[in-house]
Amino acid sequence: MGTYNLEYPKDATNTVKRYNAHAVYALETIHQIVNTCQILHVSFNTSSQPFPVVLPMIGQMGSFDRPSADVGDPLELYLHGYVSSRMMNTCKNSGNGDVDGGEQEGMPVCVSASHIDGLVLTLASYSHNYNYRSTVLFGYATHVKDDAEKLYAMELITNSVVPDRWRHTRLPPTKAEIQSTGILKVRITSGSAKISAGQAHDDKTDMGNEAMLDSTWTGVLPIHQTMGEPMPSSYNRVDVPSYVSEFVGDFNRDNTQLSLDAAEGARRAL
Amino acid sequence: MGTYNLEYPKDATNTVKRYNAHAVYALETIHQIVNTCQILHVSFNTSSQPFPVVLPMIGQMGSFDRPSADVGDPLELYLHGYVSSRMMNTCKNSGNGDVDGGEQEGMPVCVSASHIDGLVLTLASYSHNYNYRSTVLFGYATHVKDDAEKLYAMELITNSVVPDRWRHTRLPPTKAEIQSTGILKVRITSGSAKISAGQAHDDKTDMGNEAMLDSTWTGVLPIHQTMGEPMPSSYNRVDVPSYVSEFVGDFNRDNTQLSLDAAEGARRAL
């Protein structure tokens, strides 16, 4: 299905108004940004206070019904958290977080994933900018109660932290582990991404300011996440396996390249 | 005031329940996490939809009334955004975002700042963890309308991106630039931080599993943000100045050290 270049429909919720030339609605782009983000920021409301709550969580787009689905296909977002946490309880207590309820649609949530690729320094402070890739998804969260789907999500999320890690851990998880792992599934209703990439750019007036041009450094400070040397635990007995060392190498190479591509103005989505 | 080790009072909003040994309420720790985070995730509600909205924004803790305030003092959060953006409009249209209103307290917001310091790989998938520093602040956002306070916030935020950048940019900002820069000030009502640091740790049963110990790598993959070589713009005429190169060096050294300290279990707040 990925070949159809599916997009989230634009509506009042997700339509990007500011710098809308940077907006992307393609599922593939949006899902990639989410899946490569190590921390998602998830927002929900509680009945007891006027503030929405934002919590950092780990999550991954996937499809239990069609595990072979492509990243550009319609997918759900699986989020990991401890079952008795505030969010899980809110989802439960709101009386609409029960997947078995059928007609109940779930707890409204907003999920944001953001990567910073660089700091763009210009002559005018006003023209300073970040190179970034960010996405916002809206949807309804429900508790996953089915053990098979829970296991699917636990494997999906573990392998999103380090590819292929799941089958190298002690399997299967115990019943107690499965019970105390809370998984939320978010049915996505809309989403959008904003991607900003490029070099420093000043307006005409500043570009004619010879004194500023002669005195002020302009350009991009590329930024990327880096993994350092793996640090073995006190009880580790084995060498760093290839699936770990290759992941660290790929992670560092890909992220470095992304920050350089962004500075050169390439709008790559990965 | 920093020497008093002020803390945010614990109430229903901010009290950390899960892993509460990791919780920190000290203003200094919380404000440091916010001030070193390049993107904050800000959540607010709109009247037109059931979902809260989360947007990535740039911000910094500060005090216009007492600019020399210490990071551990009571501070406001200044957020930067375009004035006609959805958030700015929501703040305006909610009829409570007017600082001149006196009695109006502002738009309820939640702000989250998160740093990842490492991936903690254990024998059981259930025991996997991140080393991280995250904080959540609750408060009421109002528009800053006073030009002097706006300029204070613009300088504060520009210098948070690259220290000392402000005075190296074209000054002063034009009237049009000031007018079209939206600054929100968040009066903080409560906040908390969670800091997780340490090496891999498995439970007793798994630690007795010789086959797993002989086959599975356990330890920490330290993670930190890195800045690459500064990339000059096509119109740059000057060498990388020392305030930029020193910033890049400090940033890389400090972040690398933080990720290593975290893996060794040191709970440093910076």
Side-chain angles (χ1 to χ4, degrees), chain A:
Chain A
M1 278 176 79
T3 53
Y4 288 98
N5 294 321
L6 295 175
E7 294 199 342
Y8 284 112
K10 290 176 214 177
D11 62 23
T13 311
N14 69 329
T15 301
V16 175
K17 289 180 185 136
R18 172 68 172 163
Y19 292 126
N20 55 13
H22 295 182
V24 177
Y25 299 92
L27 269 63
E28 185 173 2
T29 304
I30 292 170
H31 296 170
Q32 278 283 12
I33 291 173
V34 171
N35 281 359
T36 53
C37 206
Q38 288 167 320
I39 286 198
L40 307 175
H41 286 87
V42 183
S43 181
F44 58 99
N45 280 302
T46 64
S47 57
S48 58
Q49 54 168 328
F51 308 103
V53 179
V54 184
L55 292 181
M57 297 183 82
I58 306 178
Q60 198 72 5
M61 308 296 308
S63 171
F64 176 63
D65 295 328
R66 211 162 63 85
S68 65
D70 187 85
V71 71
D73 289 344
L75 299 171
E76 276 91 41
L77 173 63
Y78 287 95
L79 294 168
H80 172 271
Y82 184 70
V83 282
S84 71
S85 73
R86 178 157 51 175
M87 183 176 190
M88 295 286 180
N89 281 337
T90 300
C91 188
K92 214 168 182 175
N93 296 339
S94 69
N96 55 12
D98 189 335
V99 283
D100 301 333
E103 293 170 35
Q104 297 163 328
E105 61 184 3
M107 176 175 68
V109 298
C110 176
V111 181
S112 181
S114 307
H115 298 270
I116 307 172
D117 297 321
L119 311 179
V120 184
L121 308 187
T122 57
L123 299 173
S125 66
Y126 186 77
S127 304
H128 280 57
N129 196 9
Y130 278 7
N131 285 331
Y132 63 87
R133 292 161 288 140
S134 73
T135 184
V136 173
L137 291 172
F138 298 95
Y140 293 93
T142 50
H143 272 273
V144 175
K145 294 187 173 172
D146 175 65
D147 275 0
E149 186 166 4
K150 250 187 164 176
L151 272 169
Y152 164 79
M154 288 162 74
E155 178 171 353
L156 181 75
I157 290 169
T158 302
N159 285 338
S160 81
V161 176
V162 175
D164 213 22
R165 181 68 184 173
W166 179 259
R167 69 185 181 91
H168 291 95
T169 60
R170 185 260 301 144
L171 293 176
T174 65
K175 271 207 179 298
E177 288 173 343
I178 296 173
Q179 269 179 354
S180 60
T181 300
I183 299 286
L184 288 181
K185 173 162 73 169
V186 183
R187 180 173 57 79
I188 309 298
T189 55
S190 71
S192 62
K194 274 181 92 172
I195 299 177
S196 185
Q199 251 294 354
H201 180 81
D202 275 284
D203 72 15
K204 269 189 189 169
T205 314
D206 285 314
M207 290 295 279
N209 188 330
E210 293 292 327
M212 281 305 296
L213 286 167
D214 283 340
S215 63
T216 298
W217 188 85
T218 53
V220 173
L221 303 180
I223 295 187
H224 55 86
Q225 280 188 302
T226 299
M227 279 191 206
E229 283 295 310
M231 300 168 74
S233 74
S234 58
Y235 57 94
N236 177 67
R237 298 178 182 174
V238 301
D239 290 338
V240 177
S242 59
Y243 73 94
V244 172
S245 57
E246 282 168 17
F247 166 60
V248 172
D250 290 349
F251 182 92
N252 290 339
R253 191 171 47 249
D254 291 352
N255 282 305
T256 304
Q257 194 59 48
L258 270 169
S259 71
L260 299 178
D261 287 351
E264 283 162 7
R267 278 181 53 169
R268 288 210 318 181
L270 279 173

Side-chain angles (χ1 to χ4, degrees), chain B residues 3-267:
Chain B
T3 52
Y4 290 97
N5 293 321
L6 296 175
E7 294 199 343
Y8 284 112
K10 290 177 213 175
D11 61 23
T13 310
N14 69 329
T15 301
V16 174
K17 289 181 185 137
R18 171 68 171 162
Y19 292 126
N20 54 12
H22 295 181
V24 178
Y25 299 92
L27 270 61
E28 185 174 3
T29 305
I30 293 171
H31 295 171
Q32 277 285 10
I33 290 173
V34 171
N35 281 359
T36 54
C37 206
Q38 289 168 319
I39 286 198
L40 306 176
H41 286 86
V42 183
S43 181
F44 58 99
N45 280 302
T46 64
S47 56
S48 57
Q49 54 167 331
F51 307 104
V53 178
V54 184
L55 292 182
M57 296 183 84
I58 306 178
Q60 197 74 4
M61 307 297 306
S63 171
F64 176 62
D65 296 329
R66 212 163 63 85
S68 65
D70 188 83
V71 71
D73 289 343
L75 299 171
E76 276 92 41
L77 173 62
Y78 287 95
L79 294 168
H80 172 270
Y82 184 70
V83 282
S84 69
S85 73
R86 180 158 49 176
M87 183 176 191
M88 295 288 178
N89 281 334
T90 301
C91 189
K92 213 168 183 175
N93 297 337
S94 69
N96 55 12
D98 189 334
V99 282
D100 301 332
E103 293 170 36
Q104 296 161 330
E105 61 183 3
M107 176 174 69
V109 299
C110 176
V111 181
S112 181
S114 307
H115 298 270
I116 307 171
D117 296 322
L119 311 179
V120 184
L121 309 186
T122 57
L123 298 173
S125 65
Y126 185 78
S127 304
H128 280 58
N129 196 9
Y130 278 7
N131 285 333
Y132 63 87
R133 291 162 287 141
S134 73
T135 183
V136 172
L137 291 171
F138 297 95
Y140 292 94
T142 50
H143 272 272
V144 175
K145 293 187 173 173
D146 175 65
D147 275 1
E149 186 166 5
K150 251 186 165 177
L151 272 170
Y152 164 80
M154 288 162 75
E155 178 171 353
L156 181 75
I157 291 169
T158 301
N159 284 339
S160 81
V161 176
V162 175
D164 212 22
R165 180 68 184 173
W166 179 258
R167 69 184 180 95
H168 291 95
T169 60
R170 186 261 301 142
L171 292 176
T174 66
K175 272 209 176 297
E177 288 173 344
I178 296 173
Q179 271 180 351
S180 59
T181 300
I183 299 286
L184 287 181
K185 174 162 72 169
V186 183
R187 182 173 56 82
I188 308 299
T189 55
S190 71
S192 61
K194 274 181 93 173
I195 299 176
S196 185
Q199 251 293 355
H201 180 81
D202 275 282
D203 72 17
K204 270 188 189 169
T205 314
D206 284 314
M207 290 295 281
N209 187 330
E210 294 291 329
M212 280 305 296
L213 285 166
D214 284 340
S215 63
T216 297
W217 188 85
T218 52
V220 173
L221 304 180
I223 295 186
H224 55 88
Q225 279 189 302
T226 300
M227 279 191 206
E229 282 296 309
M231 301 168 74
S233 74
S234 59
Y235 57 94
N236 176 66
R237 297 178 184 174
V238 302
D239 289 338
V240 177
S242 60
Y243 73 94
V244 171
S245 56
E246 282 168 16
F247 166 60
V248 172
D250 289 349
F251 181 93
N252 290 339
R253 188 171 50 249
D254 291 351
N255 282 304
T256 304
Q257 194 59 47
L258 270 169
S259 71
L260 299 178
D261 287 350
E264 284 162 7
R267 277 183 52 170

